[in-house]
């Protein structure tokens, strides 16, 4: 797999065994990266911008591209076993934009989320674009990829997790959520929201009040607000 960007590399360098080869821009002025690359004892190659553009299939690689081993994923059972009490997971139901996946992973790292659950089908996965947008959080937040989100959430309910969905209809204000219990926050598709079958697994829905003319938020922005409300309630000043 090819990944790119300075923030992604800053996480990767902590685990050199995960890197197969580094491609670095000829004339890159960031001397800290040059020093780090030379100290890692990992094969590297100095390349032109055109070569890096072609390798990354993107022009925003910031002068560093890495060929890495596959990113490890985990079972949901592992996420639950390693969760800090009371437990907080985020489930993405049909998120299509890899930049949203990456941004959500980044926020999950900052907010102390125990793991993220992705759908295997009809969703954006751990693509290079998602990894870049995560600024390296894909290497710090455990991810589980499941084939059946409905069954996964049903199993988590049986283990004591409350499933909290996000919707505009029949939903309570997000500040009224009960977040002191093991919680799975479900974020739905950018356009359609949470699928009907997954909604049935939700114990309740929360919504963000809209005071302006625009009546919806970007999925990753909404997720960030909700995660910090959970953080605030669990960690009061």
């Amino acid at each position: 797999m090819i990944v790119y960007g300075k923030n992604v590399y800053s996480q990767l360098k902590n685990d050199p065994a995960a890197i197969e080869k580094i491609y670095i821009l000829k004339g890159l002025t960031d001397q800290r990266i040059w020093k780090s690359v030379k100290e890692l004892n990992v094969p590297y190659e100095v390349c032109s911008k055109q070569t890096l553009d072609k390798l990354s299939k993107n022009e925003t690689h910031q002068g560093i591209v890495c060929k890495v081993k596959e990113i490890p994923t985990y079972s949901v059972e592992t996420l639950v076993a390693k969760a800090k009490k009371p437990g907080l997971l985020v489930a993405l139901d049909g998120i299509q934009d890899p930049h949203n996946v990456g941004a959500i992973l980044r926020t999950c790292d900052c907010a102390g989320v125990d793991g993220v659950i992705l759908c295997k089908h009809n969703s954006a996965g751990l693509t290079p674009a998602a990894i870049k947008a995560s600024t390296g959080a894909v290497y710090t937040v455990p991810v589980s990829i499941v084939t059946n989100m409905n069954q996964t959430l049903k199993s988590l309910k049986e283990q004591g997790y409350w499933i909290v969905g996000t919707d505009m209809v029949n939903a309570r204000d997000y500040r009224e959520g009960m977040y002191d219990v093991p919680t799975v926050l479900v974020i739905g598709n950018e356009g359609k929201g949470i699928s009907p079958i997954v909604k049935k697994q939700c114990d309740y829905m929360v919504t963000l009040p809209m005071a302006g003319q625009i009546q919806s938020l970007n999925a990753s922005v909404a997720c960030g607000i909700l995660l910090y409300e959970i953080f605030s309630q669990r960690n009061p000043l």
Side-chain angles (χ1 to χ4, degrees), residues 5-226:
K6 292 182 179 180
N7 287 317
V8 173
Y9 171 72
S10 71
Q11 289 297 330
L12 271 173
K13 69 181 182 181
N14 297 319
D15 183 18
I19 307 173
E20 295 182 352
K21 189 172 182 179
I22 299 169
Y23 302 87
I24 189 167
L25 177 67
K26 182 179 180 179
L28 184 69
T29 57
D30 192 329
Q31 294 303 311
R32 293 172 301 174
I33 289 185
W34 277 110
K35 184 174 184 292
S36 171
V37 167
K38 291 175 181 178
E39 290 175 348
L40 280 182
N41 197 29
V42 171
Y44 72 91
E45 180 178 337
V46 180
C47 303
S48 66
K49 182 179 182 301
Q50 290 74 18
T51 299
L52 295 183
D53 290 349
K54 186 175 180 180
L55 279 169
S56 63
K57 299 179 182 178
N58 196 296
E59 294 183 357
T60 60
H61 45 69
Q62 299 176 302
I64 188 157
V65 175
C66 299
K67 182 179 180 183
V68 299
K69 297 176 182 177
E70 289 299 313
I71 295 169
T73 56
Y74 304 87
S75 67
V76 174
E77 291 73 21
T78 298
L79 301 190
V80 171
K82 293 186 175 182
K84 303 178 294 294
K85 293 187 181 303
L88 176 59
L89 302 173
V90 171
L92 305 186
D93 180 37
I95 294 289
Q96 299 288 328
D97 186 345
H99 295 92
N100 275 334
V101 172
I104 288 170
L105 280 164
R106 181 178 183 175
T107 304
C108 286
D109 176 277
C110 295
V113 172
D114 297 303
V116 172
I117 304 170
L118 303 179
C119 297
K120 185 175 183 179
H121 305 293
N122 302 317
S123 299
L126 300 179
T127 63
I131 295 166
K132 172 69 161 51
S134 80
T135 65
V138 70
Y139 293 102
T140 62
V141 179
V143 173
S144 179
I145 299 177
V146 301
T147 56
N148 190 320
M149 184 64 77
N150 177 56
Q151 287 299 319
T152 297
L153 296 179
K154 183 178 180 181
S155 173
L156 285 166
K157 286 180 70 172
E158 292 169 352
Q159 297 176 66
Y161 276 78
W162 284 66
I163 313 302
V164 181
T166 49
D167 203 358
M168 299 291 290
V169 182
N170 298 321
R172 66 183 68 175
D173 188 290
Y174 76 108
R175 293 164 289 188
E176 298 175 333
M178 300 176 293
Y179 304 127
D180 59 343
V181 295
T183 301
V184 181
L185 177 65
V186 184
I187 305 296
N189 175 272
E190 292 90 346
K192 300 177 181 178
I194 298 173
S195 60
I197 192 169
V198 169
K199 275 186 181 180
K200 292 179 180 179
Q201 295 299 337
C202 294
D203 293 295
Y204 63 92
M205 296 288 185
V206 294
T207 188
L208 292 161
M210 298 290 149
Q213 299 300 309
I214 306 301
Q215 291 302 301
S216 65
L217 286 168
N218 171 277
S220 64
V221 172
C223 183
I225 294 169
L226 293 168

